[in-house]
Every structure is written in C-alpha cells, then in structure tokens.
Amino acid sequence: MMTGFLKMHGLGNDFVVVDERIHRHDLTPARIAALSDRHTGIGCDQFVTLRPACAQGADVFVRFFNADGTESGACGNASRCIADLVAHETGQDRVGLQTRAGVLHATIIRPGLVTVDMGTPAQDWADVPLAKAMDTLHLPIAGDPAAVSMGNPHATFFMPAADAVDPCVAGPELEHHPLFPERANIGFAHVTGRDAMRLRVWERGSGLTRACGSGACAAVVNAVRRGLVERTCTVMMDGGELTITWRENDGHVLMTGPAKTSFTGTFNPEDYPR
C-alpha cells in the first residue's frame, strides 16, 4: 500500500513527485490537496506525477497539480527538476517533457542546472484566457497589468518598488478577478535595470511561493512587450535567480536555473481522504 515519492525544489519552489510510469496510484484531487498540506501531509507548492510519454520526442509525461488539487498546464521550476531527474536516470543531456501545454525540451547544463525551452508565449486574449476581447498588454484592472499564457495564465503588475504591494493581500482577490475565467497567477515585478527585475508571484491554487518559473517567463515577456527590459533578463525571486531569454528568431522562451532533490520517502494513500 505504500507509495514512494521524491521531494524536489527549484529555488525553494517545492514539489512532491510520484512516479506512475509502472504503477498508477489513486491520486484524486482531494488526496493530492491533503498530501500537499504542510501541516498534515508531506507539504509542497505543487504535486507532480510521471507517466509514460506518448508524444513524439518526449521521454516522460508530466502532470502538474496545484496545492489545492487542481491541475495546471505547466510549471517551469518543476520542469527543470523532472528534466534533471530523467537525465540522471538515462544519462542524456537533453530531455523531452510531455505536458498538457505541449512537449518542453530541456538541456542539462550540468547536474543540477537546467535550461528548459518553455515554448512560445500566448498573447491573444482568448489564449490566456481572458473573459472577453481586449488588449493583453494593458488590462482594465487597477495597476495596469499585462497578461500572457506560458501554458498557464499570468498577469504581471509592474511596481515602482519591490515592496509596493503585499502579494498575500492583493494576490487572492486578483487571482479570482472576473477577467480570468481559469483564475490567474499574479506577478508583482519591479524592474531594476535593462537586464534585471525583482519578482514575487501569487500562484493560483498554491499562494505565495519562493519562486515561479513560468511566472518569471511571463514577467520578462510582458516587460519586453512594454519596452522595459532586453530579451535576456535575470529575475530575482525570494528563493534566488533565474535567467530568462525570449528569443527573437523563433519567439521561444528559455528558462535557466537550478534543480535539487531534497529527500525521498513513502506514504500510504489510504491515510489521506479520497
């Protein structure tokens, strides 16, 4: 009855990883939420499962779940962690990750340091998605955020100072704003130079995290669209730095940062509500 797991993190954005490539486990949304609880479960920002890949060019099918048990299309920090894990298993320095948002290709710079090609950002209102047609570069919300999808919806607010807003106060209401039919990840960015910014992200279904990979990608894309930064930018978050490049030639966003394994363990699914 015992199920094995890995605890991994990218810049303190932490994940419980369960391998289902051989045996499926009864991981319902309620059970995932219970396991994600930091007081009565294992505790994590996101819960990740691995299954056999069925897409061309992919080594593993990865599913991402928020701490409340809802599914997310992408998670940048978790993608680096899983790429590092699969590379260790196979000896490859390139890994394909099949996700709900498509196949993401990762390159191992060295063990524990990974670049993931997060694909092209979706900038049209219907693809974010938003509730109605509008300019995604300037949403009609106080604070004038910009919106983009990196496999999941993001809204970025550009702040005059890093501490201008408390994400734990503003984030919950903005996550559920009527313009976001699937809710949204809310980023608060302070641009500190043409190649640097400070970022904090309130993640839908998980709350404030120490880092958000897809949020960093979205913040850089939105900042480039507004002419605030160059196409390669260092993003400083509470847990550390990511380097984000939005390539001009093909529009792909590359994210480079660390991936770490914290510990391994087991749990009995029957100890958690179904």
Side-chain angles (χ1 to χ4, degrees), residues 210-225:
R210 289 180 59 80
C212 178
S214 61
C217 294
V220 171
V221 167
N222 284 330
V224 171
R225 294 170 69 202

Side-chain angles (χ1 to χ4, degrees), residues 168-262:
C168 294
V169 174
E173 182 177 355
L174 290 167
E175 172 191 349
H176 294 274
H177 192 282
L179 279 184
F180 307 126
E182 297 180 6
R183 299 183 293 167
N185 300 279
I186 308 298
F188 301 94
H190 171 54
V191 175
T192 57
R194 293 294 299 175
D195 61 354
M197 69 171 68
R198 178 78 169 89
L199 177 69
R200 304 187 80 191
V201 180
W202 176 271
E203 294 194 42
R204 62 173 182 172
S206 294
L208 182 66
T209 59
R210 289 180 59 80
C212 178
S214 61
C217 294
V220 171
V221 167
N222 284 330
V224 171
R225 294 170 69 202
R226 287 198 177 179
L228 301 176
V229 299
E230 303 299 334
R231 285 183 170 266
T232 293
C233 187
T234 298
V235 181
M236 172 60 75
M237 291 171 284
D238 290 347
E241 294 181 355
L242 292 175
T243 300
I244 309 297
T245 297
W246 186 17
R247 290 194 305 221
E248 190 168 9
N249 62 335
D250 61 4
H252 284 225
V253 180
L254 305 184
M255 171 194 58
T256 301
K260 303 291 184 182
T261 297
S262 301

